[in-house]
Amino acid sequence: MTRSKHLAGSAALALMGAVGVAATAAAAPPTEFPTDDRGFVGTAAYCQGAAVATAFGRTRDALVAICSGPDGQLQYRGVRLDDDAALMLTAAAAPDGFTAENDGVVYRVSATELIVTSGDTTVHRQPMIEYRRP
């Protein structure tokens, strides 16, 4: 099974869950990423078409954009920096930010951190280095 097929088939550790293990073996990601009002330019964490960024941010290991389409539907767009693996999910507003869920894995984005949980287990948790709400 190729890596891209694995990522498309299962989110259970595909995007953020393996970040802690993978990041230790990879070179440090760039510290600067070009942005505009749609997110991180040239990455999957960039709002496409008529969608606009509601929020976007980065941690040491990931880029995340929350995009709002013309119909108001939200989309989570996440990128793991060590291998550019991307995940796009339907998102929802939450009291402290946004959430997205896939196969029991919940991605929580706030101005302060990105948290990925599976059931009661925290799979990944990192503080935001940068966070914007255009």
Side-chain angles (χ1 to χ4, degrees):
M1 175 181 306
T2 66
R3 185 171 190 84
S4 61
K5 286 182 183 175
H6 173 73
L7 288 170
S10 172
L13 293 178
L15 181 57
M16 298 299 163
V19 167
V21 174
T24 59
T31 57
E32 296 293 325
F33 295 91
T35 63
D36 64 19
D37 61 350
R38 297 176 85 178
F40 294 95
V41 178
T43 73
Y46 191 79
C47 301
Q48 303 294 312
V52 296
T54 299
F56 60 93
R58 70 181 176 105
T59 70
R60 184 187 74 222
D61 296 328
L63 303 176
V64 173
I66 303 296
C67 303
S68 178
D71 60 359
Q73 184 170 354
L74 298 175
Q75 182 185 42
Y76 170 99
R77 298 179 64 90
V79 179
R80 185 173 55 207
L81 293 175
D82 70 334
D83 63 1
D84 289 328
L87 181 65
M88 288 74 167
L89 300 169
T90 299
D96 63 342
F98 305 91
T99 62
E101 193 227 328
N102 189 20
D103 294 333
V105 177
V106 177
Y107 301 81
R108 289 179 174 80
V109 177
S110 73
T112 59
E113 63 188 348
L114 170 64
I115 303 171
V116 181
T117 58
S118 179
D120 292 334
T121 303
T122 298
V123 178
H124 179 76
R125 180 181 211 143
Q126 280 190 339
M128 286 291 175
I129 295 170
E130 175 181 5
Y131 186 82
R132 297 186 194 171
R133 292 201 62 162

XYZ file of all heavy atoms in Angstrom, residues 54-120:
486
model
N -11.128 31.229 7.583
C -11.739 31.692 8.827
C -10.656 31.801 9.889
O -10.675 32.688 10.722
C -12.845 30.710 9.265
O -13.830 30.674 8.233
C -13.467 31.106 10.565
N -9.704 30.873 9.834
C -8.554 30.863 10.740
C -7.477 29.994 10.119
O -7.781 29.082 9.335
C -8.943 30.315 12.106
N -6.235 30.265 10.464
C -5.158 29.356 10.085
C -4.016 29.522 11.066
O -3.851 30.560 11.689
C -4.704 29.534 8.630
C -4.184 30.894 8.258
C -2.822 31.184 8.317
C -5.041 31.884 7.815
C -2.339 32.424 7.945
C -4.573 33.133 7.434
C -3.209 33.409 7.503
N -3.256 28.427 11.225
C -2.170 28.456 12.181
C -1.162 27.373 11.915
O -1.358 26.518 11.065
N -0.076 27.439 12.676
C 0.947 26.412 12.542
C 1.503 26.049 13.899
O 1.574 26.872 14.811
C 2.052 26.838 11.597
C 2.944 27.922 12.110
C 3.993 28.277 11.051
N 4.811 29.382 11.487
C 6.054 29.275 11.920
N 6.635 28.094 11.987
N 6.729 30.336 12.294
N 1.875 24.801 13.999
C 2.611 24.286 15.144
C 4.005 23.929 14.646
O 4.322 24.125 13.466
C 1.928 23.036 15.741
O 2.069 21.944 14.832
C 0.461 23.291 16.045
N 4.817 23.365 15.482
C 6.147 22.944 15.057
C 6.065 21.922 13.916
O 6.888 21.933 13.010
C 6.906 22.333 16.242
C 8.351 21.941 15.909
C 9.008 21.182 17.034
N 8.449 19.837 17.054
C 8.115 19.172 18.155
N 8.300 19.691 19.329
N 7.601 17.963 18.085
N 5.037 21.071 13.930
C 4.972 19.953 12.996
C 3.840 20.017 11.982
O 3.731 19.117 11.157
C 4.823 18.645 13.785
C 6.029 18.364 14.667
O 7.153 18.751 14.295
O 5.843 17.754 15.739
N 2.977 21.042 12.035
C 1.809 21.043 11.154
C 1.365 22.448 10.778
O 1.600 23.410 11.509
C 0.657 20.321 11.851
N 0.698 22.524 9.629
C -0.018 23.722 9.204
C -1.492 23.360 9.158
O -1.845 22.246 8.760
C 0.411 24.152 7.794
C 1.883 24.427 7.553
C 2.128 24.736 6.075
C 2.360 25.568 8.420
N -2.352 24.294 9.555
C -3.790 24.046 9.555
C -4.511 25.300 9.055
O -4.153 26.408 9.450
C -4.298 23.717 10.983
C -5.810 23.615 11.018
C -3.678 22.443 11.491
N -5.497 25.109 8.201
C -6.375 26.209 7.792
C -7.815 25.750 7.973
O -8.148 24.597 7.703
C -6.130 26.596 6.340
N -8.650 26.648 8.462
C -10.093 26.418 8.523
C -10.688 27.332 7.463
O -10.560 28.554 7.543
C -10.682 26.741 9.914
C -9.987 25.927 11.007
C -12.192 26.515 9.908
C -10.157 24.420 10.916
N -11.310 26.722 6.463
C -11.840 27.468 5.327
C -13.355 27.477 5.378
O -13.980 26.506 5.800
C -11.375 26.827 4.025
S -9.575 26.712 3.890
N -13.930 28.575 4.916
C -15.380 28.714 4.847
C -15.778 28.884 3.388
O -15.303 29.800 2.711
C -15.833 29.932 5.662
O -17.228 30.083 5.562
N -16.641 27.973 2.924
C -17.112 28.044 1.545
C -18.230 29.054 1.407
O -18.733 29.599 2.396
N -18.663 29.327 0.179
C -19.728 30.300 -0.060
C -21.035 29.946 0.649
O -21.820 30.822 0.989
C -19.918 30.284 -1.571
C -18.819 29.476 -2.146
C -18.150 28.739 -1.036
N -21.233 28.650 0.911
C -22.440 28.193 1.609
C -22.275 28.225 3.127
O -23.175 27.849 3.865
C -22.806 26.785 1.162
C -21.706 25.760 1.434
O -20.625 26.127 1.956
O -21.925 24.578 1.123
N -21.097 28.653 3.603
C -20.835 28.726 5.039
C -20.273 27.457 5.635
O -19.904 27.433 6.809
N -20.203 26.371 4.853
C -19.651 25.122 5.374
C -18.157 25.289 5.629
O -17.430 25.871 4.825
C -19.882 23.966 4.410
C -19.406 22.642 4.983
C -19.847 21.457 4.160
O -20.604 21.583 3.211
N -19.371 20.293 4.530
N -17.696 24.768 6.773
C -16.285 24.867 7.154
C -15.518 23.622 6.739
O -16.049 22.509 6.751
C -16.159 25.062 8.664
C -16.778 26.335 9.236
C -16.685 26.334 10.757
C -16.112 27.570 8.657
N -14.258 23.815 6.409
C -13.381 22.713 6.050
C -12.067 22.845 6.805
O -11.480 23.926 6.871
C -13.098 22.691 4.548
C -12.217 21.525 4.124
C -11.834 21.563 2.652
O -11.502 22.606 2.108
N -11.888 20.399 2.015
N -11.608 21.744 7.384
C -10.290 21.634 8.017
C -9.321 21.203 6.938
O -9.557 20.221 6.222
C -10.365 20.582 9.130
C -9.038 20.163 9.723
C -8.601 20.719 10.919
C -8.241 19.189 9.123
C -7.403 20.317 11.496
C -7.044 18.794 9.684
C -6.634 19.363 10.871
O -5.445 18.963 11.441
N -8.216 21.905 6.794
C -7.163 21.541 5.845
C -5.858 21.491 6.624
O -5.342 22.522 7.035
C -7.083 22.547 4.700
C -8.379 22.611 3.875
C -8.301 23.636 2.760
N -7.299 23.304 1.774
C -7.513 22.562 0.675
N -8.714 22.076 0.427
N -6.525 22.306 -0.166
N -5.339 20.293 6.861
C -4.132 20.124 7.655
C -2.998 19.537 6.839
O -3.227 18.741 5.928
N -1.772 19.933 7.165
C -0.578 19.423 6.499
C 0.448 19.048 7.550
O 0.784 19.860 8.411
C 0.050 20.492 5.567
C 1.308 19.943 4.905
C -0.937 20.971 4.533
N 0.936 17.828 7.481
C 2.042 17.393 8.333
C 3.332 17.823 7.641
O 3.562 17.485 6.478
C 1.984 15.878 8.524
C 3.007 15.349 9.491
C 2.807 13.869 9.779
N 2.803 13.091 8.554
C 2.172 11.922 8.410
N 1.483 11.425 9.403
N 2.232 11.267 7.274
N 4.175 18.570 8.323
C 5.329 19.197 7.692
C 6.453 18.241 7.311
O 7.152 18.482 6.334
C 5.877 20.311 8.587
C 4.939 21.500 8.736
C 5.504 22.497 9.745
C 4.693 22.164 7.392
N 6.641 17.169 8.039
C 7.788 16.317 7.729
C 7.655 15.599 6.397
O 8.647 15.254 5.778
C 8.109 15.351 8.869
C 7.072 14.263 9.055
O 5.906 14.480 8.697
O 7.442 13.193 9.574
N 6.415 15.397 5.903
C 6.256 14.706 4.620
C 5.163 15.318 3.731
O 4.807 14.745 2.714
C 5.988 13.229 4.838
C 4.692 12.951 5.588
O 3.965 13.909 5.942
O 4.394 11.768 5.828
N 4.633 16.465 4.115
C 3.586 17.162 3.354
C 2.295 16.360 3.211
O 1.489 16.637 2.330
C 4.075 17.599 1.969
C 5.066 18.733 2.041
O 4.954 19.569 2.958
O 5.961 18.791 1.171
N 2.073 15.376 4.062
C 0.809 14.641 4.029
C -0.315 15.609 4.376
O -0.179 16.439 5.268
C 0.843 13.488 5.030
N -1.417 15.512 3.637
C -2.523 16.452 3.811
C -3.810 15.719 4.160
O -4.003 14.564 3.780
C -2.716 17.252 2.531
N -4.666 16.412 4.887
C -5.967 15.874 5.262
C -6.988 16.997 5.192
O -6.782 18.071 5.753
C -5.912 15.307 6.691
C -7.199 14.690 7.230
C -7.580 13.440 6.431
C -7.037 14.339 8.700
N -8.089 16.752 4.477
C -9.172 17.711 4.379
C -10.440 17.064 4.925
O -10.796 15.972 4.518
C -9.410 18.131 2.922
C -8.349 19.014 2.350
S -6.887 18.081 2.001
C -5.978 19.221 1.023
N -11.076 17.754 5.880
C -12.273 17.237 6.532
C -13.296 18.344 6.711
O -12.928 19.521 6.813
C -11.933 16.701 7.932
C -10.920 15.577 8.046
C -10.515 15.380 9.500
C -11.495 14.297 7.470
N -14.553 17.977 6.831
C -15.576 18.936 7.218
C -15.285 19.359 8.650
O -14.947 18.532 9.490
C -16.976 18.299 7.121
O -17.199 17.919 5.750
C -18.057 19.264 7.560
N -15.390 20.645 8.915
C -15.105 21.182 10.250
C -16.349 21.837 10.828
O -17.326 22.089 10.117
C -13.966 22.192 10.174
N -16.298 22.105 12.126
C -17.392 22.785 12.825
C -16.799 23.791 13.803
O -15.712 23.576 14.345
C -18.252 21.769 13.585
N -17.533 24.869 14.018
C -17.124 25.845 15.027
C -17.314 25.230 16.403
O -18.254 24.471 16.636
C -17.937 27.126 14.886
N -16.413 25.539 17.307
C -16.479 25.082 18.699
C -16.293 26.307 19.585
O -15.825 27.341 19.116
C -15.386 24.044 18.960
N -16.650 26.217 20.866
C -16.527 27.385 21.746
C -15.133 28.018 21.763
O -14.999 29.225 21.821
C -16.892 26.831 23.121
C -17.763 25.661 22.832
C -17.242 25.072 21.555
N -14.085 27.191 21.659
C -12.733 27.748 21.729
C -11.982 27.666 20.403
O -10.780 27.858 20.362
C -11.931 27.043 22.820
C -11.751 25.560 22.528
O -12.498 25.002 21.694
O -10.853 24.944 23.137
N -12.666 27.346 19.311
C -11.999 27.239 18.014
C -12.815 26.427 17.036
O -13.967 26.747 16.754
N -12.222 25.324 16.566
C -12.849 24.503 15.537
C -12.518 23.036 15.782
O -11.486 22.717 16.366
C -12.331 24.908 14.149
C -12.520 26.364 13.866
C -11.535 27.283 14.183
C -13.702 26.816 13.307
C -11.705 28.634 13.944
C -13.893 28.163 13.068
C -12.898 29.077 13.384
N -13.395 22.155 15.299
C -13.144 20.724 15.373
C -13.429 20.088 14.024
O -14.213 20.599 13.232
C -14.018 20.023 16.434
O -15.394 20.171 16.073
C -13.774 20.570 17.821
N -12.777 18.965 13.788
C -13.037 18.135 12.618
C -12.855 16.697 13.081
O -12.085 16.430 14.006
C -12.067 18.470 11.494
N -13.588 15.777 12.454
C -13.512 14.390 12.898
C -13.484 13.450 11.715
O -14.125 13.707 10.693
C -14.711 14.047 13.786
C -14.512 12.739 14.505
C -15.715 11.822 14.415
O -16.848 12.295 14.363
O -15.474 10.615 14.384
N -12.712 12.373 11.860
C -12.630 11.350 10.828
C -12.311 10.015 11.487
O -11.283 9.886 12.151
C -11.541 11.717 9.817
C -11.551 10.820 8.602
O -12.545 10.167 8.291
N -10.439 10.781 7.897
N -13.196 9.049 11.304
C -12.975 7.697 11.833
C -12.646 7.689 13.313
O -11.755 6.979 13.767
C -11.869 6.983 11.057
C -12.237 6.709 9.609
O -13.450 6.591 9.317
O -11.325 6.615 8.773
N -13.325 8.511 14.104
C -13.119 8.542 15.544
C -11.950 9.388 16.007
O -11.709 9.519 17.199
N -11.205 9.956 15.077
C -10.099 10.842 15.413
C -10.611 12.279 15.333
O -11.199 12.674 14.320
C -8.899 10.646 14.463
C -7.777 11.624 14.784
C -8.391 9.215 14.546
N -10.421 13.044 16.404
C -10.925 14.418 16.465
C -9.747 15.379 16.461
O -8.796 15.229 17.229
C -11.798 14.643 17.722
C -12.263 16.086 17.812
C -12.992 13.693 17.709
N -9.824 16.366 15.590
C -8.812 17.406 15.449
C -9.406 18.684 16.027
O -10.452 19.137 15.573
C -8.461 17.618 13.970
C -7.944 16.348 13.322
C -8.824 15.364 12.879
C -6.585 16.134 13.170
C -8.357 14.188 12.300
C -6.105 14.966 12.591
C -7.002 13.996 12.159
O -6.528 12.838 11.593
N -8.764 19.250 17.040
C -9.229 20.492 17.674
C -8.200 21.586 17.422
O -7.030 21.436 17.765
C -9.417 20.295 19.169
C -10.596 19.426 19.526
C -10.727 19.251 21.055
N -11.935 18.543 21.408
C -12.089 17.226 21.343
N -11.105 16.475 20.920
N -13.226 16.664 21.704
N -8.678 22.677 16.828
C -7.813 23.802 16.491
C -8.282 24.994 17.301
O -9.461 25.343 17.283
C -7.913 24.136 14.983
C -7.064 25.352 14.639
C -7.537 22.936 14.133
N -7.361 25.622 18.023
C -7.683 26.853 18.748
C -6.532 27.832 18.550
O -5.515 27.490 17.948
C -7.880 26.579 20.243
O -6.639 26.321 20.872
N -6.698 29.019 19.054
C -5.649 30.029 18.946
C -4.393 29.616 19.702
O -3.304 30.117 19.419
C -6.158 31.359 19.479
N -4.509 28.680 20.627
C -3.367 28.302 21.451
C -2.745 26.954 21.108
O -1.566 26.740 21.399
C -3.750 28.290 22.948
O -4.826 27.361 23.136
C -4.157 29.678 23.399
N -3.516 26.019 20.496
C -2.947 24.698 20.247
C -3.738 23.885 19.230
O -4.880 24.206 18.900
C -2.836 23.907 21.548
C -4.138 23.619 22.219
C -3.980 23.008 23.602
O -2.867 22.592 23.982
O -4.978 22.947 24.319
N -3.089 22.823 18.770
C -3.705 21.788 17.948
C -3.680 20.516 18.774
O -2.618 20.106 19.255
C -2.924 21.583 16.647
C -3.315 20.369 15.801
C -4.758 20.498 15.290
C -2.348 20.200 14.639
N -4.847 19.908 18.951
C -4.953 18.671 19.725
C -5.635 17.631 18.848
O -6.684 17.900 18.255
C -5.787 18.857 21.008
C -5.216 19.963 21.875
C -5.876 17.546 21.781
C -6.114 20.340 23.036
N -5.052 16.435 18.785
C -5.643 15.326 18.056
C -5.910 14.217 19.061
O -5.001 13.806 19.785
C -4.715 14.819 16.934
C -5.373 13.675 16.169
C -4.340 15.957 15.994
N -7.163 13.769 19.125
C -7.531 12.716 20.065
C -8.202 11.563 19.335
O -8.818 11.739 18.289
C -8.481 13.234 21.161
O -9.645 13.780 20.544
C -7.817 14.292 22.026
N -8.076 10.402 19.918
C -8.778 9.211 19.469
C -9.404 8.608 20.713
O -8.693 8.098 21.582
C -7.804 8.226 18.815
O -8.497 7.064 18.394
N -10.720 8.750 20.831
C -11.384 8.340 22.066
C -10.881 9.199 23.207
O -10.834 10.422 23.109
N -10.440 8.569 24.278
C -9.913 9.295 25.433
C -8.401 9.520 25.361
O -7.810 10.061 26.289
C -10.230 8.531 26.724
C -11.720 8.513 27.028
O -12.427 9.439 26.589
O -12.168 7.565 27.705
